Amino acid sequence: MTESLQGKVALVTGAARGLGFAIAERLAQHGAQVWLGGRGVAALDEAAKRIGGNTQSLPFDITDDAATAAAVARLETEGGLDILVNNAGNRDRRPLGQLDRNDMRAMLETNLVAPFDLARRAAVLMAARKAGRIINITSIAAEIARGDALYTASKGGLAALTRALAAELGSARITVNAVAPGYFATEANRDMVADREIAAHLARRTSLGRWGEPHEVAGAVAFLASDEASYVTGNTIAVDGGYLAHF
């Protein structure tokens, strides 16, 4: 798949670090022009520098309507959009008794409403090209749960949104799929990675017996973004080391 995305333009949200950075880096390695979305200008610029190639920062807050509209307008004027990766997300692991309606609203704004808004705006640009790829980063929490009500509900909604958009946008030759990561060793999970009890849990609970590495999600996204996945839509690929399959 080397250079399989040559000439394509991609936007990856939450691209300054973690899974988003790995995804952006992989798409760039396959020849795409990649815009790095996020709120921190300095972090995005540093990420773009590390990735190199035809990679640029696009700072904006995905929960801000005006900022999102301006970002998509910039994409339209500077070459359009072929690939959208809705990766940015939030998490609040507090127990139910410590949460209220506003906490749920905030989670949904980031994890569900913002991907919906970006997808609907991106679809206009993609329809003009008569092709496009929308890839949502969900979670195995969309299928199973251990509490974590806000995150689980929002990712379940994003998985359902993926199917609905696939059904609606297929006639415009836009595919919509999701990648559902399991446990990944990212900066955000640094404390969990160092926890021996969690390591022991993964050794028992996953088929591969370990944490995932960010580049292992990036490969699945690159596949869905490529022509090799031209007849794949409405699906979720679990990249979880066998967590969902293993009991």
Side-chain angles (χ1 to χ4, degrees), residues 82-103:
D82 300 288
I83 302 160
L84 168 64
V85 183
N86 278 315
N87 167 74
N90 194 13
R91 193 158 196 166
D92 187 338
R93 291 188 171 92
R94 288 179 296 163
L96 192 63
Q98 296 178 18
L99 302 169
D100 59 26
R101 284 177 177 237
N102 288 331
D103 295 318

Side-chain angles (χ1 to χ4, degrees), residues 127-242:
R129 295 178 180 231
K130 299 182 179 179
R133 301 281 190 269
I134 297 173
I135 303 163
N136 297 319
I137 306 303
T138 58
S139 169
I140 58 172
E143 300 293 331
I144 56 176
R146 299 179 67 195
D148 206 356
L150 305 186
Y151 183 80
T152 300
S154 66
K155 289 300 185 178
L158 186 57
L161 179 66
T162 298
R163 297 189 296 272
L165 292 179
E168 184 167 347
L169 297 176
S171 60
R173 296 176 61 189
I174 299 170
T175 67
V176 188
N177 292 287
V179 173
Y183 284 72
F184 274 79
T186 63
E187 296 96 323
N189 289 334
R190 186 179 294 112
D191 291 343
M192 293 175 64
V193 173
D195 190 317
R196 293 184 179 180
E197 289 188 8
I198 295 177
H201 170 73
L202 293 180
R204 295 189 304 270
R205 186 65 174 75
T206 64
S207 302
L208 298 183
R210 62 175 176 84
W211 283 86
E213 296 296 332
H215 70 86
E216 293 174 305
V217 162
V221 173
F223 164 68
L224 291 173
S226 73
D227 288 342
E228 282 86 347
S230 58
Y231 201 58
V232 179
T233 195
N235 288 287
T236 296
I237 297 177
V239 184
D240 65 349

